[in-house]
Amino acid sequence: MDTCRIPENASKCSGNTMECFMVLSTQAQKISIGILCGLFGTMCVFENSLVLYLIFSSPGIRKKPSYLFIGSLALADILASIIFVCSFVNFHVFNEAGFSKEVFLLQLGGVNTSFSASLSSLLLTALDRYISISRPSEYKLLMTRKRAWTALGVLWATCATIAYLPLLGWNCCVLDSACSELFPFVDDNYLSGWLCLIVLLLGCIVYAYAHVLWRARQHVAYMEKHQAQAGKQNTRMRMDVMLAKTLVMVLAVLTLCWSPVLALMIYSLFARLSDRLRKVFAFCSTLCLLNSMVNPVIYALRSKELFSSLRRVFSHFRRQLKASEESPEAESTHKSSVLET
């Protein structure tokens, strides 16, 4: 059976080789990818939009830097889901290869920006939890809303700049260099540099959370000893510990979902991938949507403030629905329908 092999040189940049990256060969595979992307993507956008609404509709929650960082994570997941689903399904399911190199790199830059911003938001949240637990008396002075917004602005600007370097010229077409086997037009050196950045971010997050959990465990032991004396301070410490554990769960899910993709990316830098492995990579890529879909569920289950806000929203919705059903217009409509019958 003839297989579409990617050339080793810059001829990969020609438009007719885009089909070489369309690795789904059967209709069943395309339907499976389409269903996964549609289901995970729709749920991800809905859930993360709800998280953003709960954060920014509640004055008490949106004032806290911790939830600004969670809001940044939710926004990154929404953007990643929309851009990823549209570009991935269009390319692998509908086999649309008519777009230019610039359009493809623009879409890829959007996905990379969102994923990098998601990881960076987790890192900022880890640092926020570290300061809150290790230096509670100075937390409000060190972590202000202004500093939080500044950090988020720098974060998104940096992630976007790095993600769009291929579009700005760091690609194998312009440099006449070795291209990636997984992504059209992407230079292998750029891919290796981006992977180093992601691994570094993950390492910093793991280190920060390990320290946070260690300090949280110390605080739990302290609270058990001094429950009678602690009072309000203990309550705040419990909230800090709960939020720290919640974000560790978020990190664990992210690592499990993205490890296969990152492992195959790294492997592709050192060895040639078979057609089967490239298909595995395509299916593993949908795990990023699963990760983005699970994160808001963890917030709702673990964060008491978000859960309380969610209950208030549902209670308000039920009251409005009940009021509309009991309104005079609804009663007159009901009476007229009975008379007509």
Side-chain angles (χ1 to χ4, degrees):
M1 182 179 67
D2 292 333
T3 57
C4 187
R5 282 296 174 189
I6 306 167
E8 295 290 344
N9 49 35
S11 65
K12 293 181 235 184
C13 299
S14 60
N16 60 5
T17 59
M18 290 290 287
E19 287 80 2
C20 297
F21 293 88
M22 298 174 181
V23 296
L24 302 182
S25 54
T26 67
Q27 196 67 21
Q29 293 173 355
K30 294 178 181 180
I31 292 174
S32 300
I33 285 287
I35 292 174
L36 289 174
C37 288
L39 177 62
F40 292 163
T42 302
M43 292 298 296
C44 175
V45 171
F46 170 75
E47 292 172 0
N48 283 286
S49 298
L50 181 60
V51 169
L52 285 177
Y53 174 77
L54 293 177
I55 291 174
F56 291 100
S57 65
S58 174
I61 293 179
R62 69 168 177 259
K63 289 179 181 179
K64 299 182 178 181
S66 303
Y67 289 101
L68 291 179
F69 299 146
I70 291 177
S72 174
L73 178 62
L75 177 62
D77 286 339
I78 291 173
L79 293 177
S81 299
I82 294 173
I83 301 171
F84 178 86
V85 168
C86 292
S87 58
F88 195 80
V89 170
N90 191 44
F91 187 80
H92 283 292
V93 177
F94 298 109
N95 297 139
E96 179 59 50
F99 45 80
S100 63
K101 174 190 72 175
E102 288 74 19
V103 172
F104 178 83
L105 293 178
L106 183 67
Q107 294 173 346
L108 184 64
V111 175
N112 287 348
T113 298
S114 303
F115 174 51
S116 303
S118 179
L119 273 181
S120 301
S121 298
L122 276 176
L123 179 58
L124 286 181
T125 309
L127 295 176
D128 173 76
R129 289 301 87 203
Y130 171 77
I131 295 172
S132 176
I133 289 181
S134 62
R135 304 172 72 176
S137 59
E138 304 173 43
Y139 174 75
K140 289 186 178 180
L141 294 176
L142 294 173
M143 189 58 68
T144 62
R145 278 174 54 83
K146 183 178 179 180
R147 288 181 178 178
W149 281 112
T150 301
L152 288 175
V154 173
L155 178 158
W156 280 89
T158 303
C159 291
T161 301
I162 294 173
Y164 283 106
L165 285 177
L167 183 62
L168 298 175
W170 191 354
N171 58 73
C172 56
C173 298
V174 173
L175 301 177
D176 194 24
S177 57
C179 294
S180 168
E181 291 189 44
L182 294 173
F183 306 102
F185 315 120
V186 174
D187 178 70
D188 264 346
N189 291 326
Y190 170 80
L191 181 60
S192 61
W194 185 81
L195 285 171
C196 287
L197 173 64
I198 297 303
V199 171
L200 178 63
L201 282 175
L202 283 172
C204 291
I205 293 171
V206 170
Y207 175 81
Y209 275 127
H211 201 85
V212 165
L213 284 180
W214 177 65
R215 294 304 297 264
R217 194 173 177 183
Q218 286 185 326
H219 281 184
V220 169
Y222 175 84
M223 286 186 292
E224 289 175 352
K225 269 187 173 182
H226 305 83
Q227 276 186 344
Q229 307 170 13
K232 187 177 179 181
Q233 186 179 7
N234 265 357
T235 302
R236 199 179 69 79
M237 281 186 180
R238 285 194 187 94
M239 292 178 64
D240 289 338
V241 171
M242 175 68 76
L243 186 53
K245 291 180 179 179
T246 298
L247 294 168
V248 168
M249 291 174 64
V250 173
L251 175 62
V253 172
L254 182 139
T255 304
L256 289 174
C257 289
W258 280 90
S259 290
V261 173
L262 294 177
L264 286 172
M265 284 185 191
I266 294 172
Y267 180 75
S268 71
L269 296 174
F270 302 100
R272 190 166 184 81
L273 295 178
S274 64
D275 291 342
R276 184 177 180 181
L277 278 179
R278 292 167 63 205
K279 288 180 183 180
V280 170
F281 177 80
F283 276 92
C284 287
S285 297
T286 61
L287 289 176
C288 67
L289 295 176
L290 178 62
N291 166 70
S292 299
M293 186 183 73
V294 169
N295 283 346
V297 177
I298 298 176
Y299 305 149
L301 292 178
R302 298 284 300 180
S303 172
K304 290 184 179 179
E305 291 174 300
L306 280 181
F307 188 71
S308 299
S309 181
L310 181 61
R311 286 199 304 179
R312 284 196 299 270
V313 169
F314 280 141
S315 298
H316 180 68
F317 177 75
R318 283 199 301 268
R319 285 196 300 269
Q320 283 190 329
L321 189 62
K322 189 176 181 180
S324 65
E325 290 175 350
E326 296 176 353
S327 64
E329 293 83 4
E331 290 181 3
S332 62
T333 303
H334 176 70
K335 289 179 180 178
S336 63
S337 64
V338 171
L339 289 175
E340 289 175 2
T341 304

